[in-house]
Amino acid sequence: MKKIFLILAFAICTLGVNAEQLPNIQLDIRDYSSVEVPAGTFIPVINLQEISTEYCPEGYKVKFLSTNDLFLHETNIIPRGTEFYGYIEKINAPVIGTNAAMKIKITKMIYTDGFEVPIKGYLYTSNNNVFGGGISEPAKYVRIAQRQLKVKKTTLQIRPGNERKMGTHTVIPTGSNEIIMLTAPAEITHTLIN
């Protein structure tokens, strides 16, 4: 009997409480709205180590440092001093006639306070983001006679022959100014407040 009485008393108490009488408990949550940095954005950086096709294998970890603040509207989304990390995605060894080439992929950036943001990008070059890969020096030069019609003289001209030397290794020196190009939009959810 006591159990039935307790159940009835509990039911009457819970039905009598309005939602308006309960205290409004809401936590102040930080605004996590993100800022989207569009694909194709250029980020100026400086190289922090020498990168060479001679002694760096594919997958070799590389590090760059931003040299300028990058603003989107009034928000500093990538402050100066942000570190960018990546790796050598592909290396082509030097061969006869062609210099070595490499392609560097960028995978994340770390703010000065340690917050990490994943990104997708490449170290930019106008040659489809490939460093090196040009034609090597000529192995020998060929003399060709060239006739000048107005003066009626023949002169010898020296031109590169068809044979080429062995290609050289490509090096990105320490301290060189480079550009990172984003290949996908980056979602920035963290900004530093000075």
Side-chain angles (χ1 to χ4, degrees):
M1 191 70 168
K2 288 183 183 181
K3 290 182 182 180
I4 294 174
F5 180 74
L6 286 175
I7 292 173
L8 285 173
F10 181 75
I12 291 172
C13 289
T14 56
L15 291 176
V17 175
N18 285 336
E20 297 169 357
Q21 295 174 347
L22 294 175
N24 187 7
I25 301 174
Q26 287 187 343
L27 300 176
D28 290 332
I29 298 176
R30 180 179 161 220
D31 182 22
Y32 282 101
S33 62
S34 63
V35 177
E36 183 177 295
V37 182
T41 301
F42 290 133
I43 304 167
V45 293
I46 191 168
N47 184 19
L48 295 180
Q49 72 220 30
E50 184 175 86
I51 306 167
S52 174
T53 57
E54 185 174 6
Y55 53 81
C56 296
E58 285 184 3
Y60 183 78
K61 306 276 187 218
V62 294
K63 181 179 174 183
F64 301 93
L65 192 69
S66 66
T67 56
N68 296 337
D69 292 329
L70 183 65
F71 286 87
L72 188 63
H73 305 294
E74 290 87 31
T75 307
N76 185 1
I77 54 172
I78 302 177
R80 181 185 311 168
T82 301
E83 297 173 345
F84 290 86
Y85 292 89
Y87 62 94
I88 299 176
E89 184 179 58
K90 183 164 178 64
I91 291 181
N92 294 334
V95 294
I96 295 175
T98 306
N99 295 326
M102 66 179 148
K103 196 168 189 177
I104 298 176
K105 186 170 188 172
I106 305 299
T107 57
K108 68 180 175 179
M109 67 178 181
I110 298 179
Y111 288 109
T112 54
D113 66 352
F115 190 81
E116 185 175 317
V117 178
I119 61 172
K120 292 180 182 177
Y122 284 95
L123 208 57
Y124 176 76
T125 66
S126 59
N127 184 21
N128 197 22
N129 301 329
V130 175
F131 282 85
I135 298 173
S136 63
E137 293 292 320
K140 59 182 173 179
Y141 290 88
V142 180
R143 292 181 187 177
I144 297 176
Q146 182 168 354
R147 188 163 191 181
Q148 298 175 359
L149 297 176
K150 291 184 180 180
V151 185
K152 294 189 180 179
K153 284 187 175 180
T154 303
T155 57
L156 286 177
Q157 184 178 19
I158 299 176
R159 291 189 178 173
N162 292 334
E163 296 178 26
R164 296 281 175 176
K165 292 181 182 178
M166 181 68 175
T168 59
H169 286 281
T170 301
V171 176
I172 302 174
T174 304
S176 66
N177 291 318
E178 304 296 339
I179 295 175
I180 292 174
M181 183 183 74
L182 297 180
T183 56
E187 295 292 327
I188 307 295
T189 59
H190 179 78
T191 55
L192 295 177
I193 299 173
N194 294 340

